[in-house]
Amino acid sequence: MTREIAVVAFAQTDHRRTSDELSEVEMLMPVLHEVLDATGLKTSDIGFTCSGSSDYLAGRAFSFTLALDGVGAWPPISESHVEMDGAWALYEAWTKLLTGDTDTALVYAYGKSSPGSVRDVLTRQLDPYYVAPLWPDSVALAALQAQALIDEGYTDEPALAAVAARSRADAQANSHAQLRGSVPHGEYVVHPLRTGDCPPIGDGAAAVILAAGDRARELCERPAWIRGIDHRIEAHSLGVRELTDSPSTRLAAEKAGAFERPVDTAELHAPFSSQEVVLRKALRLGDDVRVNPSGGALAANPIMAAGLVRIGEAAARIHRGESDRALAHATSGPCLQQNLVAVLEGEPRHAQ
Amino acid sequence: MTTEVLKAPLVVEFPFTRSLGPVQSAFLTGLREQVVLGVRTTDGRTLVPPVEYDPVTADEIRDLVQVAPTGTVTTWAWNHAPRRGQPLDTPFAWVLVRLDGADTALLHALDAPGPDAVHTGMRVRIRWAAERSGAITDIACFEPDDSAIGGETGDHDGQFESMVTGIVAQARLDYTYSPGRAQTAYINALAERRIVGERCPSCRKVYVPPRGACPTCGVATAEQVEVGPGGTVTTFCIVNIKARNLDIEVPYVYAHIALDGADLALHGRIGGIPYDQVRMGLRVEPVWTEGGRYPDHYRPTGEPDADYETFKESL
């Protein structure tokens, strides 16, 4: 049998360039309390806890263990961690709920990019034999993908600027966003990408509560039911991949059921303007789909939390009745290497 | 109360020693000898750089092919501000290059005068590093080239004299570490020879060192409580191996110490008493050396030992 599982609460911090007055757990705790308060649950009521974060951002081994202080890990709790974006922690929690072991799960993710240089830090996830010794930074790799898109005629620099401008304009309505309103397209960081095409570097955290079946209906007026969720990966080597397309996103979307019926909203994890072009194509999103009403990762990109924020933002729109069927996407790795797609739905509303 | 949080540079450096499989070994040894090798996939494509498993079928592959040192740019990005560790320290283009005879592209740097001199489809050639050791950096970079597509290609057994079987991948990342509000307050108090914990508003336990959260209740802690200086050894171990860069005679004792007024034991070295006379219940106090920002070690106070009942909760 298949259980119905929903996102019943979502919270995020204000995303900021730096938060050095706060340790990770100090930054995280308010959002944990916010999702617990929203559902009336206590930490001791949560059946499973799963988190996403990165030691390389923190510059410390086993850094996630310190954040566990924020969830009251004594007496021992059922807990797990992924060294990835929290969207993948949510996938693990969803799998755990499917087993029927428990009815509720807490998923959280956080990242402080401010202590280090995120462009350098992210080089450590590359192939250590052929690529990492050259230290190609994250903007450079995204720029290679952007140039390939331009060469193929899928976009051009004005179109990329328009993606960035629309994202930051939409972020005006998002009080948590880091970059809002009119942001200059700026100088080239790595040609053809300008500052405006790149995400802000910042610190932030997010948390979500999942619940199964009737428990979800008790905890939330309009649960965001996860109708499908899937994640896929492509070859590690950039030169093997077709950079202008994202077959892994398309396959994940297909397996998640995204193409069965149209969605009205898509929250896409596209840290670079050029990646939105790739994702729209891979997901066959038409102009009638509201893409990144939150402003997306171009407005706030807390590494390791930005993907979970996409799922949370999509769910929150369903909670608020602004969406009936939404797609949420998360990515990890250079040039959209790994992709996760979730399809969320609210129950039909009666005509007023 | 607002205090400036502490900050300090933190450098993480690590030399990863990595073994190479048969295919990677042949490729990197080949670079040392100015020979570029690819590997043929099950469906007959040639991958450069080569891998040991077919990315489509996952079949093990090790059928090597020699490809040319010339190739075609498939995409590029102009890097006007090179960063530490990158192949060139003057502005350059990142390029994916499909070498003649290969079906996939290799990532590297292209030395060119400016972005106007670079375009997708341009012809380039490997510039070899003067000193080569069997690493991807044996390719210094690519440079523009006007040769036609072609060049010497063919099968290669991948065998060279003295094969490279491993690489050392150096990495360095620089951070500015900040311990956050709670730990800043703790460290600043230590410099004033005070030990400060934080009390949980829910369970009332006093944590030292404080980390800003009660790990039992999962709530923020803020109320500062001065604890110690006296404390009780709750448990200990005897260290017999000298740590590098640590000027302490072995054997010595490392102990858990429940400071008076704290609900969590912290740990520290015990001095001023022979190692084999340290015991559970021993009463100790911190010792700051001249100018020290934190206790160097703990020493016996001379008080009678604490009763087991008084510290069993801190074990």
Side-chain angles (χ1 to χ4, degrees):
Chain A
M1 62 147 246
T2 306
R3 302 181 94 197
E4 284 192 308
I5 293 154
V7 177
V8 296
F10 165 60
Q12 61 185 316
T13 56
D14 291 344
H15 306 290
R16 295 185 294 156
R17 179 62 187 87
T18 178
S19 60
D20 58 8
E21 74 284 9
L22 300 174
S23 66
E24 273 92 344
V25 67
E26 288 168 339
M27 179 177 75
L28 177 65
M29 233 171 343
V31 300
L32 296 174
H33 293 164
E34 197 179 326
V35 287
L36 290 166
D37 289 348
T39 52
L41 294 170
K42 296 191 293 294
T43 49
S44 54
D45 299 326
I46 297 291
F48 180 63
T49 299
C50 198
S51 61
S53 68
S54 169
D55 280 357
Y56 278 80
L57 276 186
R60 286 199 309 284
F62 294 98
S63 59
F64 75 95
T65 58
L66 295 178
L68 275 178
D69 284 355
V71 295
W74 184 266
I77 61 170
S78 173
E79 182 271 338
S80 183
H81 172 259
V82 297
E83 189 79 7
M84 281 193 82
D85 189 288
W88 276 264
L90 183 141
Y91 184 89
E92 182 176 336
W94 174 77
T95 310
K96 178 84 169 174
L97 290 178
L98 278 185
T99 68
D101 266 5
T102 177
D103 292 333
T104 54
L106 170 65
V107 179
Y108 63 87
Y110 60 92
K112 286 181 64 162
S113 298
S114 59
S117 165
V118 73
R119 287 174 70 181
D120 296 327
V121 166
L122 290 176
T123 64
R124 300 300 93 192
Q125 68 184 343
L126 303 170
D127 165 10
Y129 302 96
Y130 302 155
V131 183
L134 306 174
W135 292 83
D137 61 279
S138 47
V139 181
L141 297 176
L144 288 168
Q145 186 174 34
Q147 185 64 45
L149 286 162
I150 291 169
D151 286 336
E152 295 287 333
Y154 291 118
T155 191
D156 54 25
E157 291 192 41
L160 295 180
V163 168
R166 191 212 70 234
S167 298
R168 273 76 183 240
D170 281 343
Q172 291 274 39
N174 176 359
S175 64
H176 300 289
Q178 187 177 335
L179 275 190
R180 283 182 276 167
S182 178
V183 174
H185 201 202
E187 299 296 315
Y188 288 116
V189 185
V190 179
H191 183 283
L193 293 179
R194 297 170 183 266
T195 38
D197 294 307
C198 303
I201 294 169
D203 301 351
V208 153
I209 290 180
L210 299 181
D214 289 340
R215 196 81 177 95
R217 292 182 186 91
E218 288 163 26
L219 296 172
C220 180
E221 205 171 306
R222 190 168 193 252
W225 299 105
I226 301 173
R227 296 302 186 206
I229 182 168
D230 196 274
H231 61 102
R232 300 285 160 161
I233 184 170
E234 292 176 35
H236 202 165
S237 176
L238 286 170
V240 170
R241 286 156 53 186
E242 176 55 69
L243 292 180
T244 58
D245 196 7
S246 184
S248 57
T249 299
R250 189 177 300 111
L251 184 57
E254 188 186 317
K255 297 292 179 186
F259 300 132
E260 288 166 15
R261 283 188 297 122
V263 296
D264 55 46
T265 302
E267 278 285 342
L268 305 179
H269 186 192
F272 297 93
S273 58
S274 44
Q275 294 179 342
E276 185 180 300
V277 177
V278 178
L279 292 171
R280 275 181 182 265
K281 186 157 74 87
L283 292 165
R284 301 171 198 150
L285 297 177
D287 290 339
D288 52 335
V289 179
R290 187 78 170 90
V291 172
N292 287 348
S294 64
L298 284 165
N301 190 41
I303 306 268
M304 297 297 142
L308 183 62
V309 169
R310 302 281 73 75
I311 299 176
E313 290 280 8
R317 267 176 87 79
I318 289 170
H319 294 162
R320 294 194 297 264
E322 294 163 7
S323 167
D324 292 323
R325 181 170 157 93
L327 179 150
H329 160 267
T331 195
S332 189
C335 301
L336 303 171
Q337 187 194 3
Q338 300 162 52
N339 295 285
L340 178 148
V341 173
V343 177
L344 305 170
E345 278 185 357
E347 268 154 22
R349 286 164 292 174
H350 298 294
Q352 297 293 306
Chain B
M1 182 189 71
T2 54
T3 25
E4 192 88 343
V5 291
L6 292 172
K7 285 182 192 178
L10 171 69
V11 178
V12 178
E13 278 187 286
F14 37 97
F16 272 124
T17 305
R18 296 181 176 276
S19 309
L20 303 173
V23 173
Q24 290 172 313
S25 173
F27 176 68
L28 292 179
T29 310
L31 294 185
R32 190 190 66 197
E33 306 303 324
Q34 304 186 24
V35 170
V36 188
L37 299 178
V39 68
R40 210 170 267 136
T41 62
T42 316
D43 62 5
R45 297 191 310 147
T46 298
L47 304 183
V48 180
V51 292
E52 286 154 356
Y53 294 90
D54 188 315
V56 176
T57 62
D59 288 340
E60 187 173 353
I61 47 178
R62 51 173 68 187
D63 185 8
L64 296 170
V65 184
Q66 183 173 355
V67 300
T70 50
T72 305
V73 170
T74 63
T75 186
W76 62 282
W78 185 256
N79 185 28
H80 64 81
R83 302 167 74 78
R84 186 175 69 203
Q86 295 183 343
L88 296 168
D89 55 15
T90 50
F92 66 89
W94 288 107
V95 281
L96 281 169
V97 175
R98 189 169 56 232
L99 293 172
D100 298 339
D103 293 295
T104 63
L106 171 88
L107 177 74
H108 221 294
L110 169 68
D111 190 5
D116 294 341
V118 187
H119 62 272
T120 296
M122 79 183 281
R123 296 286 296 157
V124 294
R125 167 184 291 275
I126 289 174
R127 180 191 297 166
W128 295 103
E131 286 180 30
R132 297 179 304 281
S133 60
I136 192 67
T137 46
D138 288 355
I139 298 175
C141 61
F142 282 88
E143 56 192 25
D145 185 75
D146 53 12
S147 67
I149 294 178
E152 72 275 36
T153 58
D155 293 342
H156 195 288
D157 66 1
Q159 291 306 306
F160 301 90
E161 240 175 88
S162 73
M163 298 293 291
V164 175
T165 57
I167 59 167
V168 177
Q170 295 285 351
R172 172 187 167 136
L173 294 170
D174 287 64
Y175 301 88
T176 303
Y177 181 71
S178 172
R181 177 202 57 81
Q183 294 186 92
T184 289
Y186 172 74
I187 293 166
N188 283 338
L190 282 183
E192 298 166 11
R193 306 199 169 194
R194 295 183 302 122
I195 303 176
V196 174
E198 283 185 354
R199 190 190 304 280
C200 172
S202 174
C203 69
R204 309 299 295 161
K205 279 195 170 135
V206 173
Y207 290 97
V208 58
R211 293 205 299 250
C214 171
T216 312
C217 305
V219 298
T221 58
E223 184 196 340
Q224 291 193 357
V225 181
E226 195 157 327
V227 299
T232 302
V233 171
T234 64
T235 185
F236 63 94
C237 65
I238 298 166
V239 179
N240 286 289
I241 295 172
K242 213 174 169 69
R244 193 160 60 164
N245 305 326
L246 195 61
D247 190 23
I248 299 170
E249 280 307 306
V250 290
Y252 65 87
V253 170
Y254 210 69
H256 268 198
I257 299 154
L259 292 173
D260 298 344
D263 291 288
L264 192 73
L266 48 66
H267 43 86
R269 183 170 62 88
I270 305 295
I273 180 172
Y275 73 92
D276 56 358
Q277 290 178 31
V278 175
R279 55 205 180 263
M280 290 170 78
L282 180 72
R283 295 285 296 160
V284 293
E285 62 186 5
V287 179
W288 275 263
T289 51
E290 186 64 34
R293 288 182 53 94
Y294 51 88
D296 178 69
H297 65 278
Y298 289 75
R299 69 178 171 212
T301 62
E303 296 168 83
D305 282 4
D307 189 44
Y308 178 71
E309 292 298 314
T310 65
F311 65 85
K312 69 174 185 186
E313 293 296 326
S314 300
L315 270 176

